[in-house]
C-alpha cells in the first residue's frame, strides 16, 4: 500500500468505453488500499488532429509556438475530465487537475519544455482528502504563467516526474502493448516481451526510434532512480484474472534476464542530409554543428568521411524528419562559406538498430547484423554505432524486412537467445 502513479496513453483512453475500462482498473487498485494518481494523454489521435487543424488555419505562416501549446494542451484536458466523471460513475471520489494545477513548472521552450520543478502540494492535499487525482499529461506552466507542452509522448514524462516528486511506491505506464518487446510487435510479429530491461537499454531503444516510451522520460527515470513497469491497459483487469506482469524497467537487470542483444528498433521518422565536398580543415565541423545547436536542433547520427590526405570530406547526418526543413536552411546558410560544397537529402530512408549491453564485449555482432541484411539483398546506406548500439540506414520500404531479418539472426524470439554467428565469447576488439 502506498502511492501508485499510473499513466494511460492515447490508445488506452481513445473511446468512452476505454475510459470506463481505465476507471475500472483504477477502482480495483484503489480497493487494494493504494493512493492513486492517474496521468492521462489526449484521446486517440487527438494531438495529431490538433496539429493538422493548426496547419490548416496557418497555411504558409508558421503557427506561433505559444498558441500551439495553448491548442495542444486542450487534448489532455478533455481526457482528465472524462476519466474523473467515469470514476464518479463507479462511486470513486476523484478530481482532475491540469499540469499547472498539479505543480508542473517548466522553462519557456514551447512544444518541448523542460521541467524545472514539480510541486505536487495540491496533489498531496487531494490524496489526503481520499480522492483519486487525475492529472493531465504532457503540460506545464512557465514562471510567467504561460502554458507549455513537454514534447511528443510527454505524458510518460509527466508520470515519471510525478512519481519522483511524490516519492511514489510504484509507477505503472499502461499502453496498448503488454510491455517492452524485443522489437515493435507491429513491425516484427515474432517479437517477445522482455520481463526486465535496464534504463540504459531502454534509453538506447527509445533514442533509436522505439516509441514505446518517450526518450526524455527514460532519462528522467534513470537520473532520479524511478523504477517503473510497462503494462497493457487492454489486457484483462486483475478482477478478470489478468496478471499485470508487463516489463520492469530497472537500473540493473537480473542476471537471468541479461541478453547480449536486447532488441531491434526501427525509426521511420528520420531524414538524411549529406554535405559533399566540405573543406577538410580544423573548425569546419565545429562551425556546422554550432549552427545546429543555435537552432536547438538535435542531430541523430553523424558520419564524416574523407580519405587520408584528401582536401575535402563528406559529412552525412540524420535528423528527425520534422526538423528537415530547418536543418536544410541551416546547411544552406553555412555552406555559403564553403564554395563548391553540395547538399543532398533523402527522406525515403529508415534506421534499423540493434541495442544491447553485450555489443561492446562480444565480437561478431556487427558482422552478424550486416550478413542478415546482405542475405536479404538490403543495401546499408550508412552505419553508426556506440558501446551498446549498431545502426544501419536502409531504404524505408525495406526497413520492416530488415528488422525481421536481424531479429531472426539474433534469435530474439527465443527465451534465451544464443548469439548466431559468434561463439558468444567476449573479446576486447568489439564488432
Ligand atoms: P501510448 O499512446 O500509450 O503512449 P505509444 O503509441 O506512444 O503508446 O507507444 C506504444 C507503441 O509503441 C506500441 O503500440 C508499439 O507499436 C510501439 N513500440 C515500438 N517499439 C516497441 C517495443 N520495443 N516494445 C513495445 N512496443 C513498441
Ligand atoms: N498527447 C501527446 C502526444 O500525442 C502526449 C502523449 O500522448 O504522451 O504526443
Ligand atoms: Mg506514448
Amino acid at each position: 500500500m502506498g502511492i501508485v502513479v499510473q499513466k494511460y496513453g492515447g490508445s488506452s483512453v481513445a473511446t468512452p468505453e476505454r475510459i470506463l475500462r481505465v476507471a475500472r482498473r483504477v477502482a480495483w487498485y484503489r480497493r487494494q488500499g493504494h493512493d492513486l494518481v492517474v496521468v492521462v494523454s489526449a484521446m486517440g489521435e487527438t494531438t495529431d488532429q490538433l496539429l493538422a487543424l493548426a496547419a490548416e488555419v496557418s497555411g504558409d505562416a508558421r503557427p506561433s509556438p505559444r498558441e500551439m501549446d495553448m491548442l495542444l494542451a486542450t487534448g489532455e484536458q478533455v481526457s482528465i475530465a472524462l476519466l474523473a466523471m467515469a470514476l464518479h460513475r463507479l462511486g470513486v471520489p476523484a478530481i482532475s487537475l491540469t499540469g499547472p494545477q498539479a505543480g508542473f513548472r517548466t522553462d519557456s521552450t514551447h512544444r518541448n519544455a523542460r521541467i524545472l520543478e514539480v510541486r505536487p502540494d495540491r496533489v498531496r492535499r487531494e490524496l489526503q482528502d481520499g480522492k483519486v487525482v487525475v492529472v493531465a499529461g504532457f503540460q506545464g506552466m512557465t514562471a510567467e504563467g504561460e502554458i507549455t507542452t513537454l514534447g511528443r509522448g510527454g505524458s510518460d514524462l509527466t508520470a515519471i516526474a510525478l512519481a519522483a516528486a511524490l516519492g511514489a511506491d510504484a509507477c505503472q505506464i499502461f499502453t496498448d502493448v503488454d510491455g517492452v518487446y524485443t522489437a515493435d510487435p507491429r513491425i516484427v510479429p515474432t517479437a517477445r516481451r522482455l520481463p526486465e530491461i535496464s534504463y540504459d537499454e531502454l534509453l538506447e531503444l527509445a533514442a533509436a526510434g522505439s516509441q514505446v516510451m518517450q526518450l526524455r522520460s527514460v532519462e528522467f527515470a534513470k537520473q532520479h532512480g524511478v523504477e517503473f513497469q510497462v503494462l497493457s491497459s487492454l489486457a484483462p483487469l486483475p478482477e478478470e484474472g489478468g496478471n499485470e506482469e508487463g516489463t520492469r524497467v530497472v537500473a540493473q537487470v537480473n542476471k537471468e534476464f541479461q541478453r547480449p542483444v536486447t532488441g531491434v528498433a526501427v525509426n521511420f521518422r528520420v531524414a538524411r542530409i549529406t554535405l559533399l565536398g566540405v573543406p577538410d580543415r580544423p573548425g569546419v565541423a565545429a562551425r556546422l554543428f554550432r549552427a545546429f545547436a543555435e537552432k536547438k536542433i538535435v542531430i541523430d547520427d553523424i558520419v564524416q568521411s574523407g580519405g587520408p590526405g584528401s582536401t575535402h570530406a563528406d559529412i552525412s547526418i540524420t535528423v528527425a524528419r520534422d526538423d528537415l526543413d530547418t536543418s536544410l536552411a541551416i546547411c544552406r546558410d553555412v555552406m555559403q562559406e564553403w564554395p563548391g560544397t553540395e547538399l543532398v537529402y533523402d527522406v525515403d530512408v529508415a534506421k534499423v538498430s540493434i541495442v544491447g549491453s553485450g555489443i561492446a564485449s562480444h565480437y561478431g555482432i556487427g558482422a552478424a547484423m550486416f550478413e542478415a541484411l546482405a542475405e536479404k539483398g538490403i543495401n546499408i546506406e550508412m552505419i553508426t554505432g556506440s558501446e551498446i548500439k549498431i545502426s544501419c540506414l536502409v531504404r524505408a520500404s525495406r526497413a520492416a524486412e530488415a528488422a525481421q531479418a536481424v531479429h531472426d539472426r539474433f534469435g530474439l524470439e527465443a527465451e534465451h537467445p544464443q548469439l548466431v554467428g559468434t561463439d558468444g565469447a567476449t573479446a576486447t576488439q568489439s564488432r
Side-chain angles (χ1 to χ4, degrees):
M1 275 190 265
I3 299 180
V4 176
V5 175
Q6 297 187 332
K7 176 254 169 176
Y8 293 90
S11 46
S12 307
V13 294
T15 61
E17 294 72 31
R18 288 200 179 172
I19 292 177
L20 274 162
R21 191 170 176 76
V22 168
R24 285 178 58 203
R25 195 179 290 278
V26 172
W28 183 86
Y29 275 92
R30 189 161 183 278
R31 285 201 298 280
Q32 312 312 303
H34 301 296
D35 287 335
L36 266 292
V37 178
V38 184
V39 174
V40 283
S41 295
M43 292 172 72
E45 310 296 319
T46 301
T47 307
D48 288 331
Q49 287 159 2
L50 293 172
L51 284 167
L53 275 177
E56 219 174 297
V57 167
S58 304
D60 287 339
R62 196 169 154 266
S64 136
R66 178 194 183 275
E67 301 308 334
M68 282 303 288
D69 275 351
M70 196 61 110
L71 178 72
L72 295 182
T74 61
E76 271 65 15
Q77 215 165 312
V78 171
S79 319
I80 53 169
L82 292 177
L83 179 57
M85 291 173 197
L87 286 163
H88 296 162
R89 172 171 166 181
L90 301 183
V92 177
I95 184 166
S96 64
L97 299 178
T98 64
Q101 285 176 319
F104 279 78
R105 300 281 167 266
T106 73
D107 70 6
S108 58
T109 315
H110 283 291
R111 306 214 35 204
N112 202 17
R114 302 227 147 236
I115 295 174
L116 299 177
E117 193 185 16
V118 185
R119 275 200 221 161
D121 308 347
R122 173 86 188 268
V123 176
R124 280 213 178 84
R125 279 206 305 279
E126 302 293 353
L127 286 177
Q128 276 158 14
D129 238 19
K131 291 186 192 129
V132 169
V133 186
V134 184
V135 177
F138 175 58
Q139 50 176 257
M141 190 179 265
T142 66
E144 291 74 37
E146 299 289 3
I147 304 275
T148 52
T149 60
L150 308 177
R152 293 308 304 265
S155 300
D156 294 334
L157 180 57
T158 304
I160 303 277
L162 255 182
L166 292 165
D169 297 271
C171 179
Q172 301 176 314
I173 307 290
F174 285 91
T175 179
D176 58 358
V177 273
D178 63 345
V180 179
Y181 276 64
T182 48
D184 185 338
R186 290 191 223 202
I187 299 175
V188 178
T190 55
R192 167 183 280 267
R193 178 172 58 82
L194 296 161
E196 271 190 9
I197 188 168
S198 68
Y199 295 131
D200 287 330
E201 288 165 328
L202 186 54
L203 268 177
E204 287 286 340
L205 274 180
S210 279
Q211 65 163 24
V212 62
M213 286 292 296
Q214 189 209 31
L215 175 61
R216 281 171 58 193
S217 73
V218 186
E219 277 169 358
F220 196 101
K222 181 183 174 184
Q223 226 171 7
H224 294 81
V226 179
E227 297 200 331
F228 60 96
Q229 228 186 334
V230 179
L231 303 150
S232 170
S233 69
L234 308 177
L237 301 173
E239 66 214 42
E240 297 165 346
N243 59 22
E244 306 288 82
E245 259 179 22
T247 298
R248 291 179 298 279
V249 183
V250 295
Q252 188 68 42
V253 169
N254 194 318
K255 267 226 157 3
E256 102 185 75
F257 299 126
Q258 279 174 5
R259 294 155 158 245
V261 175
T262 315
V264 177
V266 186
N267 190 354
F268 286 101
R269 302 176 307 274
V270 286
R272 177 186 46 199
I273 301 175
T274 305
L275 289 160
L276 295 161
V278 298
D280 194 1
R281 58 165 192 259
V284 165
R287 169 77 184 96
L288 180 64
F289 292 106
R290 173 55 56 202
F292 275 94
E294 275 162 10
K295 296 278 185 211
K296 296 189 175 167
I297 299 286
V298 176
I299 309 280
D300 182 42
D301 277 322
I302 305 172
V303 172
Q304 176 174 324
S305 52
S310 61
T311 54
H312 289 84
D314 300 335
I315 298 179
S316 283
I317 60 170
T318 52
V319 293
R321 206 168 289 177
D322 289 347
D323 290 333
L324 178 66
D325 290 343
T326 315
S327 303
L328 289 174
I330 294 168
C331 290
R332 289 192 180 108
D333 186 40
V334 174
M335 276 164 56
Q336 288 176 11
E337 299 165 26
W338 306 322
T341 299
E342 275 179 59
L343 178 71
V344 287
Y345 68 93
D346 197 340
V347 292
D348 203 15
V349 290
K351 199 171 75 166
V352 176
S353 309
I354 53 169
V355 167
S357 49
I359 289 176
S361 54
H362 289 75
Y363 60 80
I365 293 189
M369 180 181 191
F370 307 146
E371 281 161 9
L373 299 180
E375 280 158 17
K376 295 280 173 194
I378 297 171
N379 190 40
I380 305 170
E381 301 186 24
M382 189 164 150
I383 300 175
T384 48
S386 74
E387 289 287 294
I388 65 168
K389 185 175 78 174
I390 304 175
S391 302
C392 295
L393 201 72
V394 299
R395 287 289 98 199
S397 58
R398 307 290 309 270
E401 197 188 340
Q404 182 72 65
V406 172
H407 196 272
D408 290 348
R409 179 64 190 242
F410 290 106
L412 297 183
E413 70 289 347
E415 189 173 355
H416 299 290
Q418 301 299 314
L419 279 183
V420 183
T422 75
D423 60 9
T426 55
T428 40
Q429 114 228 41
S430 55
R431 285 177 232 137

